[in-house]
Amino acid sequence: MKKFLGFGLGLRTNHYVDVIEQKPDIDWFEIISENYMVAGGKPRYYLDAIKEHYPIVMHGVSMSIGSTDPLNMDYLKKLKTLIADVQPEWFSDHLCFTSVGGINSHDLLPMPYTEESLNHVVNRIKQVQDFIGRPMLLENVSSYLTYKTDEMNEWQFYREVCEQADCKMLLDINNIYVSARNHDFNAMDYLQSLNPERIQQFHLAGHSDFGDYVVDTHDHDVPDPVWQLYREALKLFGPVSTMIERDANIPSFADLEAELNVARSIAEQCIPDIRSQIEA
Amino acid sequence: MSSLEQIQQDFLQFLLHGKGPLAEHVVNDQGNINAAERVSIYGNAYRVRLQEVVETDHEMLGLYLGDDLFDQMFQGYLDAHPSTFDSLRHFCQHLPQYLATTAPFSEHPILTELASFERLLLAAFDAADIKRATLEDLSAIPPEQWPQLQIRFHPSMQLFTESYNTVSSWQALKAERAPEPATKHADEQHWLLWRNHQRLTEFRSLADDERYMIDQYLTGAQFAEICEGLLTWHSEQQVPVVAVQHLQKWLQQGLIHQFSVAVD
Ligand SMILES: [Fe+2]
């Protein structure tokens, strides 16, 4: 079963005061887990105030689930503590590796799509889910290269990982678009191959287009082809909790709200009664 | 080594040193860009992302150094201290020590001081948000117990000591003015940084007697002992007045977490 939270935003430091003072009409917020793994401070103060009024989901960037390093238990303990404190609707991280030999690249590096890699990642997700005591969501990353050793394509790999590990999908629509451009595949083939039951959340974002390739910068407005793909995803998967993910070049809160309203109206065009399906 | 391990090792080597066999693992004849160009997208992103962290967390240091020296510092620091942290917030943790020990930066000690000061500003920002003591808490302590009074400060409170005109240079840069040339003070100067009641980070200079009191309270000293020490600066009649005035000031500024009374 998947819970439909409605339309949310990534909570960013420069919008704390807007959110607390204006109580904007946003259905939920996503936080970056690592930013709150501190004793307290400003971030925790504001989060505590904001979670009084809004459902929260947690999104991590440092689990490094695909790495051949041992699982970072220190990190997982901090994550488990934070989950206990925040009581999020769910938590997520990316299908990628970030750390090698204890060094964190702070980037979402692509996995080779092989049986070896599949087994490795599935085992680790199971361990994480057992340790945390809840299922997780796994997000597709954008990529700029294809390994020679690949035995399957990205969506076959992603689908298999989530089926075998029994975890949910956080589908970043922009990342699919970016990878489709960089690897010259049809984004619709990707979407159509996925199991609707698995898809729990969408990210919408923008990117930088360099002509020959596209970089997932998450620092622009959502562009038309990503909105178009969002329409197709709604038709295929029904109501899925949707948010705008802006990581850099962050606009005013009002601008993000306006962008989220675009998502709402597109969703209503695809599924007319979608707003009534939001579970409080 | 498994092929998964090999790819990941080669990926890291490429990010850290810009070389190695990563591109050999990558399909070359896909679209308009080749394998070398594809891996360099990752190499650039790695550097840009971390450089942005240094620019943001150490903005005034960056302005002080200017573009060329900043680039030199960033390259050197990145090579010496690749991140081992979960969060980018800690990436520059070793920067003060790097600047203190690496030429040409170590020849200008104001640089390590500037970096330390900026790190303390960040520490004040991130510190736990626990309650602050009030004037009523202080009044509730019976007069006969005052000599054994002890203090725990708010976790956002940070102490900074400079030998150079570091803070005034930071302030000048913040105000978009050119800083005075680096000059060594005759005596060290002390500063206090903290997050105030409005959750804004503040700092102010500390006189020697106030710095002494804070240092003493931090090590668990009691009111009566501290009063004795204050005789270095003040007459016997003045000492209790000065000691109490400071407690009141600290309460007003939100610096005190709680009072306690030592039991001997
Ligand atoms: Fe995303």
Side-chain angles (χ1 to χ4, degrees):
Chain A
M1 71 130 252
K2 53 180 185 183
K3 189 169 182 180
F4 177 52
L5 295 177
F7 300 85
L9 287 175
L11 182 63
R12 300 294 178 258
T13 316
N14 26 356
H15 297 147
Y16 283 151
V17 175
D18 295 293
V19 175
I20 288 184
E21 287 180 357
Q22 299 166 21
K23 306 266 168 3
D25 176 28
I26 307 293
D27 299 325
W28 53 282
F29 284 99
E30 180 189 82
I31 62 166
I32 303 296
S33 309
E34 288 79 3
N35 292 352
Y36 299 87
M37 292 179 176
V38 285
K42 246 173 135 146
R44 286 298 284 268
Y45 168 82
Y46 284 110
L47 174 59
D48 286 345
I50 291 166
K51 80 181 163 77
E52 293 291 304
H53 299 279
Y54 297 96
I56 300 287
V57 311
M58 281 173 42
H59 184 51
V61 294
S62 288
M63 191 183 285
S64 197
I65 196 72
S67 175
T68 54
D69 281 1
L71 276 176
N72 183 343
M73 291 314 292
D74 183 50
Y75 173 82
L76 290 175
K77 280 177 198 157
K78 284 190 268 182
L79 183 63
K80 190 172 180 168
T81 305
L82 188 66
I83 288 172
D85 289 352
V86 175
Q87 295 288 328
E89 297 288 333
W90 55 75
F91 73 101
S92 61
D93 207 297
H94 301 83
L95 178 53
C96 68
F97 66 102
T98 58
S99 292
V100 183
I103 292 180
N104 192 343
S105 70
H106 297 283
D107 199 356
L108 308 169
L109 306 175
M111 301 295 291
Y113 307 133
T114 60
E115 285 293 329
E116 179 199 10
S117 178
L118 175 67
N119 294 334
H120 179 72
V121 105
V122 165
N123 280 330
R124 283 165 63 99
I125 297 169
K126 285 181 180 165
Q127 288 174 51
V128 168
Q129 294 185 146
D130 285 348
F131 177 77
I132 304 282
R134 308 171 58 159
M136 70 177 291
L137 274 63
L138 208 58
E139 177 177 358
N140 59 303
V141 300
S142 49
S143 73
Y144 313 105
L145 55 76
T146 305
Y147 297 109
K148 289 176 182 165
T149 49
D150 282 0
E151 294 157 6
M152 55 196 108
N153 63 35
E154 181 188 335
W155 54 94
Q156 290 165 333
F157 183 77
Y158 185 27
R159 187 192 153 107
E160 264 320 291
V161 166
C162 294
E163 292 300 329
Q164 291 188 24
D166 197 14
C167 67
K168 301 284 184 186
M169 288 177 165
L170 191 184
L171 207 58
D172 189 310
I173 308 273
N174 173 64
N175 289 351
I176 295 180
Y177 175 80
V178 167
S179 292
R181 284 278 305 275
N182 289 336
H183 305 300
D184 201 21
F185 62 72
N186 183 342
M188 285 308 291
D189 291 344
Y190 194 132
L191 289 181
Q192 280 163 351
S193 79
L194 301 178
N195 173 1
E197 285 307 302
R198 292 269 164 215
I199 298 164
Q200 177 109 353
Q201 185 185 337
F202 289 149
H203 275 170
L204 294 170
H207 52 254
S208 302
D209 195 330
F210 296 96
D212 284 340
Y213 63 97
V214 181
V215 178
D216 150 39
T217 41
H218 277 57
D219 65 349
H220 285 72
D221 292 350
V222 178
D224 283 340
V226 175
W227 287 127
Q228 193 47 44
L229 213 49
Y230 177 53
R231 273 176 212 279
E232 300 300 332
L234 286 164
K235 288 180 203 157
L236 286 167
F237 308 129
V240 172
S241 304
T242 297
M243 62 162 265
I244 312 269
E245 185 185 44
R246 187 74 169 241
D247 294 333
N249 188 21
I250 304 208
S252 72
F253 192 80
D255 286 356
L256 280 181
E257 251 186 305
E259 204 178 18
L260 189 62
N261 284 333
V262 176
R264 283 172 161 150
S265 65
I266 288 176
E268 274 174 332
Q269 289 161 20
C270 299
I271 307 168
D273 66 339
I274 190 165
R275 299 285 281 274
S276 68
Q277 298 188 45
I278 299 174
E279 298 170 61
Chain B
M1 197 181 286
S2 73
S3 73
L4 181 60
E5 251 178 307
Q6 188 66 58
I7 281 178
Q8 296 194 351
Q9 296 285 345
D10 291 344
F11 218 125
L12 182 75
Q13 288 314 306
F14 180 75
L15 294 183
L16 294 183
H17 309 298
K19 50 188 182 218
L22 177 63
E24 290 165 25
H25 297 290
V26 174
V27 175
N28 195 38
D29 55 351
Q30 198 190 22
N32 289 331
I33 55 172
N34 62 30
E37 289 166 315
R38 287 179 181 273
V39 300
S40 73
I41 297 174
Y42 287 95
N44 293 336
Y46 171 70
R47 286 181 181 269
V48 167
R49 177 174 295 109
L50 291 165
Q51 181 169 333
E52 279 171 3
V53 175
V54 187
E55 285 169 355
T56 308
D57 289 359
H58 293 280
E59 192 184 351
M60 302 312 144
L61 174 68
L63 292 172
Y64 197 94
L65 287 168
D67 288 351
D68 291 348
L69 274 173
F70 179 87
D71 287 345
Q72 189 184 338
M73 174 192 78
F74 171 69
Q75 292 302 333
Y77 182 69
L78 186 60
D79 288 343
H81 297 282
S83 173
T84 55
F85 303 105
D86 298 336
S87 165
L88 284 169
R89 170 168 74 254
H90 304 295
F91 172 58
C92 300
Q93 186 168 301
H94 306 294
L95 192 58
Q97 178 248 333
Y98 174 81
L99 292 168
T101 54
T102 313
F105 312 106
S106 51
E107 291 149 27
H108 308 280
I110 194 170
L111 298 175
T112 183
E113 288 194 4
L114 258 177
S116 300
F117 182 71
E118 288 181 312
R119 295 227 66 70
L120 293 177
L121 288 170
L122 293 168
F125 179 87
D126 272 339
D129 204 58
I130 59 177
K131 76 167 187 70
R132 300 169 205 254
T134 62
L135 215 51
E136 290 72 58
D137 295 328
L138 186 59
S139 322
I141 295 166
E144 67 276 11
Q145 291 182 356
W146 270 67
Q148 289 91 46
L149 184 69
Q150 291 175 309
I151 289 181
R152 281 183 57 202
F153 289 106
H154 192 265
S156 71
M157 189 186 83
Q158 313 287 332
L159 293 166
F160 176 67
T161 300
E162 61 174 22
S163 301
Y164 287 79
N165 52 331
T166 300
V167 176
S168 67
S169 300
W170 187 94
Q171 287 170 311
L173 291 161
K174 181 86 182 165
E176 295 176 15
R177 287 183 280 111
E180 298 291 319
T183 0
K184 193 167 184 177
H185 301 309
D187 298 301
E188 288 182 332
Q189 291 188 10
H190 305 299
W191 294 85
L192 183 72
L193 302 82
W194 78 104
R195 203 168 65 231
N196 66 20
H197 288 292
Q198 288 76 43
R199 272 171 281 278
L200 299 173
T201 304
E202 267 195 69
F203 56 88
R204 62 176 172 85
S205 65
L206 278 182
D208 287 348
D209 59 341
E210 188 176 8
R211 169 74 193 226
Y212 164 81
M213 283 186 272
I214 292 175
D215 279 340
Q216 290 298 302
Y217 279 120
L218 281 171
T219 59
Q222 302 169 16
F223 186 79
E225 303 167 79
I226 290 169
C227 285
E228 249 169 75
L230 281 176
L231 291 167
T232 313
W233 295 277
H234 303 282
S235 72
E236 211 165 322
Q237 291 83 354
Q238 276 181 316
V239 158
V241 181
V242 170
V244 173
Q245 275 172 349
H246 277 96
L247 290 181
Q248 288 167 339
K249 179 161 89 176
W250 296 343
L251 282 168
Q252 254 167 26
Q253 296 182 331
L255 286 163
I256 300 181
H257 166 50
Q258 65 180 176
F259 297 105
S260 59
V261 175
V263 255
D264 309 284

